[in-house]
């Protein structure tokens, strides 16, 4: 993977000595700075464009100004949180010492993460991402039949971490057994909207308008159908195309709402749909795909993620930020730069949630992930993947294989270690 990634970095102008952080085809040239701490740089610069300092561990409470965010002045905003079916009681299943929160679910992020999840063979990912015509990682992830590596999973992504915290058996079904899942209208719409927002930045700044963005939807929908033929099943019983038309209209509404939250004519992303990967000192590999990276002239980094659902209620805000802190940790370990701001843009409710991380935050996330990974390794070796029933079970595709619903999991495909007297 290193050789392929290095070649990609050379082609895009990225530094060849940092092959683990790179844009996939179709992204802007690599622009992340190296060295130093972004928050420290902000404190020293005195620039009016720097984001206001926030207390450690606190999301920013300031309301967003429509059209104001730009790379040199990251916006600080939280809106009125809405409700979401995926924001529920999904608590930790790792050791209690991990203190791990669940990832607030977003179907499109889950689809993107499939290209970086724990059981994907790196060579398969490299080949698939490079081979997809439009360079969109969600399409690449699903177009490839990824295989589990011998000996079980070897890396972790935000969505797979969230799966294990929600339900260890769900993690097994997705990562170890690779059970198929039906496409959902919500996930597919999210993937479509992500593609449109990524492609819009191909146009000159002055042409990044709402009408142009909406005009991209039909073409991106066709690309999605070509790369993922199974999504056509969503409208197989819609001969008149009425449901499809309504579904596309909803996608248009999400795209239009984005223009009330950010002004793309004032943004020049350093990266779009950026695949990142790093290996921690412990040997654990972390992977993910970041929707957008903005770099200010001062070198401050903002990580942006689009969510097509509603913002979480305040009590679930920390879970929503878990994914972003995961990305911030990867960027920090790769580039020695702590992102100045993490920003979640909720298109379903028109809210923006921001957070300014500090070193202690990311160190805590790293400890949490290590504890979580130990729990995953233990389950992998023993075959002990226990279900954890919650209200989220109603959205699970694997009830037929789940003991909680009278089902039987498929035969475990990995060797099982018999627990010894000293095992918990």
């Amino acid at each position: 993977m290193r050789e392929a990634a290095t070649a990609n970095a050379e082609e895009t102008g990225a530094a060849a000595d940092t092959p683990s952080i790179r844009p996939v085809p179709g992204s802007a040239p690599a622009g992340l700075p190296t060295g130093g701490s972004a928050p420290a740089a902000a404190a020293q610069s005195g620039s009016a464009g720097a984001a206001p300092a926030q207390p450690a561990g606190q999301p920013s409470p300031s309301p967003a100004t429509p059209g104001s965010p730009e790379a040199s002045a990251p916006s600080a905003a939280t809106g009125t949180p809405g409700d979401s079916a995926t924001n529920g009681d999904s608590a930790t299943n790792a050791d209690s010492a991990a203190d791990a929160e669940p990832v607030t679910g977003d179907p499109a992020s889950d689809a993107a993460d499939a290209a970086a999840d724990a059981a994907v063979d790196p060579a398969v990912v490299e080949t698939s991402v490079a081979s997809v015509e439009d360079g969109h990682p969600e399409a690449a992830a699903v177009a490839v039949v990824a295989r589990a590596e011998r000996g079980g999973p070897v890396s972790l992504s935000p969505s797979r971490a969230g799966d294990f915290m929600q339900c260890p058996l769900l993690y097994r079904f997705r990562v170890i057994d690779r059970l198929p899942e039906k496409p959902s209208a919500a996930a597919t719409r999210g993937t479509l909207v992500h593609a449109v927002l990524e492609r819009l930045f191909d146009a000159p700044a002055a042409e990044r308008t709402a009408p142009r963005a909406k005009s991209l939807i039909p073409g991106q929908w066709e690309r999605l159908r070509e790369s993922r033929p199974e999504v056509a099943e969503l409208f197989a019983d819609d001969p008149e195309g009425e449901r499809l038309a309504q579904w596309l209209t909803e996608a248009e509404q999400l795209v239009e709402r984005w223009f009330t939250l950010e002004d793309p004519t004032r943004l020049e992303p350093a990266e779009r749909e950026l695949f990142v990967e790093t290996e921690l000192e412990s040997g654990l590999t972390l992977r993910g795909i970041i929707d957008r990276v903005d770099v200010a002239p001062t070198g401050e980094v903002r990580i942006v993620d689009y969510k097509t659902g509603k913002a979480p209620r305040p009590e679930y805000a920390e879970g929503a930020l878990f994914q972003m802190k995961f990305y911030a940790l990867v960027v920090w370990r790769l580039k020695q730069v702590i992102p100045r701001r993490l920003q979640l843009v909720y298109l379903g409710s028109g809210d923006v949630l921001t957070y300014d991380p500090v070193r202690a935050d990311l160190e805590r996330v790293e400890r949490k992930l290590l504890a979580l990974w130990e729990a995953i390794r233990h389950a992998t070796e023993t075959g002990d993947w226990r279900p954890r029933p919650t209200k989220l079970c109603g959205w699970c595709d694997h009830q037929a294989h789940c003991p909680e619903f009278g089902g039987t999991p498929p035969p475990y495909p990995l060797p099982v270690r018999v627990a010894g007297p000293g095992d918990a």
Side-chain angles (χ1 to χ4, degrees):
M1 182 175 182
R2 176 173 293 273
E3 293 178 357
T6 302
N8 182 279
E10 292 172 348
E11 291 172 1
T12 58
D17 61 345
T18 56
S20 292
I21 183 163
R22 57 177 175 76
V24 297
S27 298
L32 286 178
T34 58
S37 167
Q44 295 171 3
S45 69
S47 168
Q54 297 296 329
Q58 297 297 321
S60 165
S62 305
T65 300
S68 65
E70 55 185 321
S72 60
S75 66
T78 51
T80 304
D83 197 1
S84 174
T86 57
N87 291 339
D89 306 321
S90 39
T92 180
N93 279 280
D95 297 337
S96 58
D99 189 27
E101 300 94 349
V103 176
T104 298
D106 180 74
S109 294
D110 216 31
D113 250 2
D117 74 21
V120 173
D121 180 86
V124 175
V125 173
E126 194 75 40
T127 302
S128 67
V129 171
S131 65
V132 173
E133 180 182 355
D134 67 351
H136 202 64
E138 288 91 340
V142 185
V144 171
V145 180
R147 59 180 176 82
E149 297 180 7
R150 292 181 180 178
V154 297
S155 63
L156 196 61
S157 70
S159 291
R160 298 297 79 81
D163 286 345
F164 189 86
M165 288 187 280
Q166 176 184 322
C167 174
L169 187 58
L170 174 63
Y171 178 98
R172 179 201 149 168
F173 286 158
R174 285 179 167 170
V175 175
I176 305 297
D177 298 304
R178 289 283 173 184
L179 296 183
E181 297 184 350
K182 297 179 181 178
S184 74
T188 306
R189 182 171 53 239
T191 299
L192 175 61
V193 170
H194 275 69
V196 169
L197 298 188
E198 179 195 1
R199 283 300 184 189
L200 183 64
F201 285 103
D202 291 340
E207 298 177 17
R208 298 171 194 160
T209 64
R212 182 184 180 94
K214 291 194 296 183
S215 74
L216 295 174
I217 290 177
Q220 291 303 314
W221 170 232
E222 288 304 313
R223 285 177 178 269
L224 187 57
R225 290 178 59 187
E226 291 173 4
S227 62
R228 295 177 52 188
E230 69 274 13
V231 300
E233 300 173 11
L234 293 170
F235 305 104
D237 58 348
D238 183 34
E240 301 299 324
E242 294 179 359
R243 284 200 303 111
L244 174 59
Q246 177 61 31
W247 183 83
L248 291 172
T249 298
E250 291 168 356
E252 289 183 352
Q253 292 169 348
L254 293 173
V255 169
E256 281 186 308
R257 185 168 291 143
W258 178 58
F259 285 83
T260 70
L261 305 174
E262 296 191 288
D263 182 356
T265 66
R266 302 172 64 191
L267 290 168
E268 290 298 339
E271 312 284 2
R272 289 173 277 152
E273 300 293 348
L274 179 69
F275 177 83
V276 291
E277 178 184 76
T278 191
E279 182 176 323
L280 304 179
E281 291 183 0
S282 64
L284 170 61
T285 296
L286 304 179
R287 291 178 177 149
I289 296 176
I290 302 174
D291 286 347
R292 198 180 85 218
V293 179
D294 300 332
V295 179
T298 56
E300 296 168 298
V301 175
R302 176 172 64 181
I303 295 177
V304 181
D305 195 74
Y306 308 121
K307 299 294 185 186
T308 50
K310 297 179 180 179
R313 298 193 298 268
E315 59 267 34
Y316 299 120
E318 184 63 24
L321 286 167
F322 174 82
Q323 176 188 12
M324 303 301 284
K325 292 180 180 180
F326 184 109
Y327 293 147
L329 171 63
V330 174
V331 170
W332 177 41
R333 289 307 188 198
L334 278 171
K335 292 293 204 173
Q336 293 76 54
V337 172
I338 296 177
R340 178 70 176 88
R341 174 148 294 175
L342 310 178
Q343 180 165 304
L344 286 159
V345 181
Y346 286 93
L347 304 177
S349 55
D351 300 311
V352 177
L353 176 66
T354 66
Y355 184 87
D356 297 340
V358 295
R359 179 172 181 147
D361 290 333
L362 305 188
E363 289 175 339
R364 179 174 176 266
V365 171
E366 185 168 356
R367 292 193 299 270
K368 182 184 305 183
L369 290 171
L370 292 177
L372 180 66
W373 187 245
E374 284 303 311
I376 292 174
R377 287 179 58 182
H378 178 75
T380 301
E381 293 173 355
T382 62
D384 184 10
W385 302 93
R386 301 181 185 182
R388 181 179 183 271
T390 69
K391 63 182 181 181
L392 299 179
C393 292
W395 285 271
C396 183
D397 278 349
H398 308 303
Q399 294 182 9
H401 297 283
C402 180
E404 293 294 324
F405 293 87
T408 302
Y412 193 56
L414 300 177
V416 174
R417 176 178 62 83
V418 178
D423 292 324

